[in-house]
Amino acid sequence: MTPLTLTADTAGELPVKSRARRTAWVPTLVLILGALYCLVPIAWVVMAATKDRSELFSTFTFAPGTGFFDNLSELTAYRDGIYWTWMGNSALYAGFGALLSAAVSAGGGYALGRFAFRGREFIFKLILAGVLVPSIVLTVPQYLLLSKMGMADSYWSMLLPSILSPYGVYLVRIYAAAAVPAELLEAARMDGASEWRIFSRIAVPMMMPGLITVFLFQFVAIWNNFLLPYVMLADDTKFPLTLGLYTLLAQGASQPALYTLVITGCLLAIIPLIALFLVIQRFWSLDLLSGSVKA
Amino acid sequence: MTSAPLKGSDRITVGPLADGTGTAKPVRPSRPRRRGRSAPYWFLTPTLVLFAAFTVVPIGYAIWLSLHKVRVKGIGLGKGAREQVWNGFGNYTDVLQDSEFGHSVLRAFGYGLIVIPTMLGLALLFALMLDTPKARSASFARLMIFLPYAVPGIIAALMWGFLYLPDVSPFYYLLNRFGLPQPDLFDGGNLYLSFANIAVWGGTGFNMIVIYTALRAIPPDIYEAARIDGASDLKIALRIKIPIVMPSLVLTFFFSVIATLQVFTEPMALKPLTNGLSTTWSPLMAIYDSAFLKSDIYGASATAVVLALATYLISFTLLRVSDRYTREDRA
């Protein structure tokens, strides 16, 4: 719509101009209501985390309390700082998992997007069909198989199943087909560059925005995953945040004293991801998210 | 040279010898081509290995387990007292007669009937509002509505769980203040709304972005033409924008249905806060329950396979229907 508004402003065509300047109140109101709805729980958790135990149940929920730093030190003290271990574990699983996932998707998506070879469509459809498999159909036998190999309840049991992302392969395939020109690859081949060199020096840099999207997607997916650690892990020093907070709440149900810890823990758990989003959305096109390359 | 039936096989061994010094000549131009041919497979190797190890093998194992059961010998103590025996489709007939699983599927459908239309309706509404050129604070709202996507489902459920608790909830505070009746959000029927709200809160932003992206790809001259013809904003939205973003809506619908069948996190997170929630509330919970709480991995595998087959059936039906729909639309 920008071109229309611009020409209207510069050309000064009256009817269009006045329409362009008037705020559309209904859409604005709807959007603000939507934003408020999305902000309420976050605002609540921010305020609730500042309250000590008695304030949590006695003061108005959106009024600030006085206990934030006490809550913080209490959370840190809880079982020798196991909360921070969980935070570290989440960062480890999500960071490494997403990095490996982006690397694997880069190879797979590039092959599927830029090469014509036998079985291409079949392989692609097979991998995409993986999206449809209910997570528990994979997770339970994965657990049984890994425990037979003695790998259940280990860091590997969290990392390995999270590497392959069918959606990541799909995104890179689309991205490679649209953003890496075939002529360029052909020219590099004529110059005698090896396929690996073409991939690492030409294709990967050109696919970088797509790969960052895959990384982010997978980072969020692993960070937010609950079922996989719930099935795989038993030792709570290996828990990620999601499972750690869950067990904390499960105990808190009988001890409301733990409520403040859970609330403070929730707040701290969402800060890294929200920060990541705010930083990254500056150079990360949201259009990539839905798999469309054209802006 | 008519009598040369061995020619084909001879060529390979004889060729280089006959060529003598020129050996390199026929080999070199063919090498890049051959390497080029195997290159995609090399790039695909990690994907395929992981796919085999963490998708194909587990599915195969689940199917194998689903066809077996444990037979207990003697009094069932000691090693070798329990052995795996073939059970055919016995587990499957059990699953299909298991009313607990049936109820969990029905609950998932009920939940989906609330979540999917609400979530996609809101996503479409917000996307259309974002696409209105004269809306203020659109980029702020876009980011805020998308933000819940970054919040882990379990934490979203915990936060909402507290907002549903009368002791700490601002909503109950307000209801109390104005003397209004206070519903129990953890009660049977209201539970559906409670879970649905969490899912709508978490999923609307993502779907909004998908639809909004499709809207942005529409060339603006279409609107200009429609305006000149005297179409209002509402008419443009209904007659032009919504039909054009239909494929995106179908896609988001498709993924929402799959997500609905797999609802697990929200009910699990709220379970500690209420007694009114069974361990088999959703299909995934029922499978987890029989695999790990009742230690019946055979029955659980059969249930999981049934759920997977149902997912595929629903998916293909949806794709078939939507394909026909969009094709008719194009014609």
Side-chain angles (χ1 to χ4, degrees), chain A residues 62-99:
Chain A
F62 281 109
T66 56
F68 180 65
F69 291 101
D70 290 342
N71 290 342
L72 207 58
S73 59
E74 217 174 304
L75 185 66
T76 304
Y78 178 75
R79 297 203 33 222
D80 295 327
I82 196 163
Y83 180 83
W84 300 104
T85 311
W86 295 337
M87 180 82 88
N89 289 340
S90 274
L92 181 84
Y93 298 140
F96 272 112
L99 209 60

Side-chain angles (χ1 to χ4, degrees), chain B residues 32 34 38 42 114 131 146 187 189 199 206 212 216 235 239 246 275 290 295 305 314 317 324 326:
Chain B
R34 198 185 294 161
S38 70
W42 284 112
I114 308 170
D131 199 46
F146 186 55
D187 184 46
F206 179 83
Y212 176 62
R216 287 254 311 263
K235 221 166 197 173
R239 296 281 174 81
M246 218 32 165
N275 294 324
S290 59
S295 298
V305 172
I314 293 171
T317 315
R324 192 177 300 158
T326 40

Side-chain angles (χ1 to χ4, degrees), chain B residues 206-243:
Chain B
F206 179 83
N207 292 304
M208 172 191 81
I209 294 291
V210 174
I211 299 167
Y212 176 62
T213 308
L215 279 176
R216 287 254 311 263
I218 303 174
D221 7 328
I222 293 183
Y223 305 140
E224 212 165 337
R227 280 239 166 76
I228 290 167
D229 288 348
S232 65
D233 279 348
L234 185 68
K235 221 166 197 173
I236 290 177
L238 291 177
R239 296 281 174 81
I240 301 177
K241 292 182 177 181
I242 294 180

Side-chain angles (χ1 to χ4, degrees), chain B residues 145-220:
Chain B
I145 297 171
F146 186 55
L147 210 56
Y149 173 71
V151 177
I154 195 100
I155 289 175
L158 292 179
M159 292 194 305
W160 279 106
F162 281 111
L163 291 172
Y164 297 155
L165 273 184
D167 287 342
V168 289
S169 168
F171 307 128
Y172 282 95
Y173 182 90
L174 290 176
L175 290 175
N176 201 17
R177 218 39 199 295
F178 295 104
L180 293 164
Q182 303 176 7
D184 180 1
L185 292 172
F186 291 110
D187 184 46
N190 287 340
L191 266 177
Y192 287 83
L193 296 176
S194 302
F195 295 153
N197 175 53
I198 300 170
V200 168
W201 183 79
T204 299
F206 179 83
N207 292 304
M208 172 191 81
I209 294 291
V210 174
I211 299 167
Y212 176 62
T213 308
L215 279 176
R216 287 254 311 263
I218 303 174

Side-chain angles (χ1 to χ4, degrees), chain A residues 1 3-5 19-28 30-35 37-42 44-45 56-57 59-62 104-105 107-112 115-119 123 126-127 129-138 140-146 148 160-161 163-164 167 169 192-196 199 217 220 223-224 226-227 230-231 241-243 245-246 249-250 253 259 262-263 265-266 269-270 273-274 277-278 281 284 286-287 289-290 292 294-295, chain B residues 32 35-37 39-41 43-44 46-48 50-51 53-59 61-62 65 122 125-127 129-138 140-155 158-160 162-163 165 167-171 173-174 196-198 200-201 204 206 208-210 212-214 216-217 220 223-224 227 233 251 254-255 258 262 264-265 268-273 284-285 287-288 291-292 297 300-301 304-305 307-308 311-312 315-316:
Chain A
M1 289 316 297
L4 181 68
T5 335
R19 195 199 276 166
R21 284 212 177 147
R22 206 170 49 211
T23 300
W25 288 110
V26 174
T28 308
V30 169
L31 287 174
I32 286 175
L33 282 177
Y37 167 60
C38 290
L39 273 175
V40 162
I42 294 172
W44 179 83
V45 85
L56 183 65
F57 294 100
T59 58
F60 176 61
T61 43
F62 281 109
V104 169
S105 302
Y110 171 67
L112 292 167
F115 286 87
F117 57 93
R118 274 185 67 161
I123 291 173
L126 201 65
I127 292 170
V131 178
L132 292 182
V133 185
S135 45
I136 201 142
V137 178
L138 295 178
V140 172
Q142 276 170 359
Y143 167 77
L144 297 170
L145 290 167
L146 283 171
K148 277 194 174 164
L160 291 175
I163 297 174
L164 182 66
Y167 195 61
V169 174
S194 70
E195 288 295 338
W196 171 252
F199 172 69
F217 252 126
V220 174
W223 184 282
N224 292 357
F226 175 70
L227 182 68
Y230 191 66
V231 168
L241 272 175
T242 46
L243 188 54
L245 281 169
Y246 176 73
L249 181 74
Y259 277 6
V262 175
I263 291 167
C266 280
I270 58 179
L273 278 192
I274 289 180
F277 261 70
L278 292 179
Q281 60 109 20
W284 175 43
L286 283 175
D287 300 324
L289 198 72
S290 47
S292 111
K294 262 196 272 174
Chain B
R35 204 173 40 187
R37 222 177 284 156
Y41 297 107
F43 290 128
L44 267 171
T47 304
L48 294 179
L50 286 166
F51 185 71
F54 291 98
T55 305
V56 177
V57 171
I59 291 175
Y61 188 51
L65 282 175
L122 281 176
L125 177 71
F126 291 142
M129 299 294 116
L130 280 180
D131 199 46
T132 313
K134 291 150 283 173
R136 291 275 169 85
S137 58
F140 166 78
R142 187 180 71 173
L143 193 63
M144 289 305 119
I145 297 171
F146 186 55
L147 210 56
Y149 173 71
V151 177
I154 195 100
I155 289 175
L158 292 179
M159 292 194 305
W160 279 106
F162 281 111
L163 291 172
L165 273 184
D167 287 342
V168 289
S169 168
F171 307 128
Y173 182 90
L174 290 176
N197 175 53
I198 300 170
V200 168
W201 183 79
T204 299
F206 179 83
M208 172 191 81
I209 294 291
V210 174
Y212 176 62
T213 308
R216 287 254 311 263
Y223 305 140
E224 212 165 337
R227 280 239 166 76
D233 279 348
L251 187 78
F254 185 71
F255 281 116
I258 295 169
Q262 302 196 28
F264 181 76
T265 307
M268 281 305 285
L270 293 188
K271 211 156 64 70
L273 295 173
L284 249 59
M285 287 170 77
I287 293 169
Y288 182 88
F292 295 107
I297 52 170
S301 299
V305 172
L307 185 66
T311 309
Y312 274 92
S315 306
F316 284 121

Side-chain angles (χ1 to χ4, degrees), chain A residues 222-283:
Chain A
I222 300 173
W223 184 282
N224 292 357
N225 199 340
F226 175 70
L227 182 68
L228 185 69
Y230 191 66
V231 168
M232 289 289 176
L233 302 177
D235 169 12
D236 66 4
T237 59
K238 298 195 187 87
F239 281 5
L241 272 175
T242 46
L243 188 54
L245 281 169
Y246 176 73
T247 53
L248 200 57
L249 181 74
Q251 286 166 9
S254 50
Q255 291 168 265
L258 288 177
Y259 277 6
T260 51
L261 289 193
V262 175
I263 291 167
T264 313
C266 280
L267 174 65
L268 295 178
I270 58 179
I271 287 175
L273 278 192
I274 289 180
L276 187 75
F277 261 70
L278 292 179
V279 169
I280 235 128
Q281 60 109 20
R282 288 162 162 246
F283 56 92

